[in-house]
Amino acid sequence: MTVKTETTPIHGGAVAAVAELLGAAHLMALAVNRPDGWPQVTTVGYVNDGLKLYFVIGRESQKYLNIQADPRVSVAIRPEGTDADTVGVSLAGRAVEVTNPVEVERLNRMVFERYPEGRVFCPGGTAVAVMLLSPEIVAPVAVIGGSSRAQTYAIGSGGAPAADPGTGQGVSRLF
């Protein structure tokens, strides 16, 4: 049985609402594809820049090897606490390694601002990889009147539109 999911192009209001949600959470469940076809899911910390997610993984980890073989990944994020408006968001896209030292330094500054007690995002050496997920599919879920509702958005090759800051007051405003 095939279930058809309606996908609409993402708009500035959805970008603002999802970016707000991403900024409120600190952990994500990262799903990658294993060589044997089974999915692998692990929890990792992240920092976001709008809808873009950055995370660090070990170069010798199965997760890194899986991403190198198949860069398609999905993540699920739910803010901590009891935010009755939001259940969470699922994002899917391709993960790529960030190798530009200037970009890594910019990410370090973002991490210091978000996690003042933290150290650096990318420790020196070659043991870790800084990864970027630019989502292609975004599916926020909200609780409205005691029931959950989801909307699936597509991000085209031109990227997401700019966030409309006047509409980012929780994902329930998207429905």
Side-chain angles (χ1 to χ4, degrees):
M1 179 169 137
T2 302
V3 177
K4 185 176 188 296
T5 303
E6 185 176 328
T7 304
T8 59
I10 197 162
H11 54 81
V15 171
V18 172
E20 178 183 301
L21 184 155
L22 296 175
H26 300 279
L27 296 173
M28 65 182 182
L30 172 67
V32 299
N33 298 306
R34 292 176 11 157
D36 61 8
W38 286 95
Q40 176 193 15
V41 179
T42 55
T43 303
V44 296
Y46 72 92
V47 66
N48 71 296
D49 184 3
L51 298 184
K52 294 179 181 177
L53 301 175
Y54 297 90
F55 56 97
V56 174
I57 57 176
R59 288 187 181 282
E60 294 184 14
S61 70
Q62 185 64 49
K63 186 172 30 255
Y64 180 78
L65 296 174
N66 292 343
I67 291 172
Q68 295 308 303
D70 184 351
R72 295 174 302 154
V73 302
S74 289
V75 300
I77 299 171
R78 182 185 186 283
E80 296 87 6
T82 57
D83 185 354
D85 177 52
T86 303
V87 172
V89 64
S90 172
L91 301 106
R94 288 169 175 76
V96 297
E97 188 170 354
V98 177
T99 57
N100 181 326
V102 174
E103 179 69 357
V104 172
E105 181 57 35
R106 182 184 77 83
L107 296 170
N108 278 329
R109 286 192 300 274
M110 288 173 60
V111 169
F112 284 133
E113 289 174 15
R114 185 168 179 180
Y115 307 101
E117 71 286 353
R119 297 284 182 257
V120 295
F121 198 58
C122 181
T126 60
V128 298
V130 177
M131 305 300 290
L132 162 63
L133 168 60
S134 296
E136 298 172 28
I137 301 168
V138 179
V141 178
V143 174
I144 301 171
S147 298
S148 63
R149 293 191 56 193
Q151 173 65 52
T152 303
Y153 296 101
I155 298 177
S157 60
D164 181 354
T167 58
Q169 305 296 312
V171 297
S172 66
R173 291 182 181 240
L174 300 174
F175 300 95

